[in-house]
């Protein structure tokens, strides 16, 4: 009997029917997967898919889908496919996005936290936001991880947004 049970478990695990893959536990609504997206909204989805599977309240305008009440925007190309996903933590007029990356980076994370979780960025930038920007005069610090497909923007050392992009 034990032998039959052992063989069955071995066969099921080899067939891919074993235990489910690890999913991080979180109290947040969304897990951000670099280079992919979030639940029901992924890079390369069509506008229609985003509206039918994520939110019918998306407003499409000039290459962007806007959803301020979820803290989410997305850009799309001429083919109507999602090119980037913007997840906001500090954008005026937007609800704070309720999610963290698969490495636990979220609204209370620091630049140091991102560097510890993701290592050295492929690109790093600093600037002062102009008078025409969302937060005029704020110090902006960005960390881009192009090979993984994720970018982080901080305003005055507070996480402002996370962008899911195509890895390159």
């Amino acid at each position: 009997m034990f032998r039959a049970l052992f063989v069955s478990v071995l066969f099921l695990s080899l067939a891919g029917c074993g235990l489910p893959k690890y999913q991080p536990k979180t109290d947040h609504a969304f897990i951000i997967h670099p280079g992919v997206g979030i639940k029901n909204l992924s890079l390369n989805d069509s506008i229609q898919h985003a509206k039918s599977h994520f939110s019918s309240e998306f407003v499409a305008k000039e290459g962007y889908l806007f959803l301020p009440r979820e803290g989410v925007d997305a850009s799309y190309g001429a083919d109507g496919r999602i090119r980037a996903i913007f997840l906001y933590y500090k954008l005026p007029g937007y609800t704070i996005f309720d999610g963290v990356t698969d490495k636990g980076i979220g609204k209370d994370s620091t630049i140091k936290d991102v560097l510890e979780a993701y290592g050295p960025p492929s690109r790093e930038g600093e600037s002062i936001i102009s008078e025409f920007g969302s937060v005029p005069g704020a110090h902006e610090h960005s960390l881009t991880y192009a090979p993984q497909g994720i970018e982080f923007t901080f305003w005055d050392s507070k996480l402002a947004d996370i962008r899911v992009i195509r890895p390159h």
Side-chain angles (χ1 to χ4, degrees), residues 17-73:
C17 298
L19 296 174
K21 290 184 178 179
Y22 171 75
Q23 289 291 323
K25 283 193 170 244
T26 180
D27 293 332
H28 299 282
F30 297 98
I31 299 292
I32 304 163
H33 298 280
V36 177
I38 57 177
K39 181 180 175 186
N40 297 324
L41 183 63
S42 298
L43 299 178
N44 212 35
D45 283 349
S46 68
I47 294 170
Q48 188 55 39
H49 183 275
K51 287 184 170 187
S52 64
H53 288 83
F54 189 78
S55 176
S56 61
E57 295 180 29
F58 264 128
V59 174
K61 184 178 178 186
E62 299 175 3
Y64 287 90
L65 294 173
F66 299 98
L67 189 59
R69 74 169 185 80
E70 293 289 338
V72 176
D73 287 347

Side-chain angles (χ1 to χ4, degrees), residues 91-108:
L91 188 63
Y94 276 66
T95 298
I96 297 169
F97 177 71
D98 184 17
V100 296
T101 70
D102 56 355
K103 293 187 179 188
I105 301 298
K107 76 177 179 93
D108 295 322

Side-chain angles (χ1 to χ4, degrees), residues 51-139:
K51 287 184 170 187
S52 64
H53 288 83
F54 189 78
S55 176
S56 61
E57 295 180 29
F58 264 128
V59 174
K61 184 178 178 186
E62 299 175 3
Y64 287 90
L65 294 173
F66 299 98
L67 189 59
R69 74 169 185 80
E70 293 289 338
V72 176
D73 287 347
S75 66
Y76 59 87
D79 61 355
R81 300 267 176 202
I82 303 296
R83 297 286 178 247
I85 301 169
F86 306 86
L87 309 163
Y88 298 110
Y89 297 96
K90 287 187 58 97
L91 188 63
Y94 276 66
T95 298
I96 297 169
F97 177 71
D98 184 17
V100 296
T101 70
D102 56 355
K103 293 187 179 188
I105 301 298
K107 76 177 179 93
D108 295 322
S109 297
T110 65
I111 293 169
K112 182 181 176 188
D113 293 336
V114 172
L115 292 170
E116 287 175 358
Y118 290 88
S122 57
R123 186 175 68 232
E124 189 167 3
E126 293 198 40
S127 64
I128 301 297
I129 298 175
S130 80
E131 63 183 284
F132 303 106
S134 299
V135 186
H139 176 258

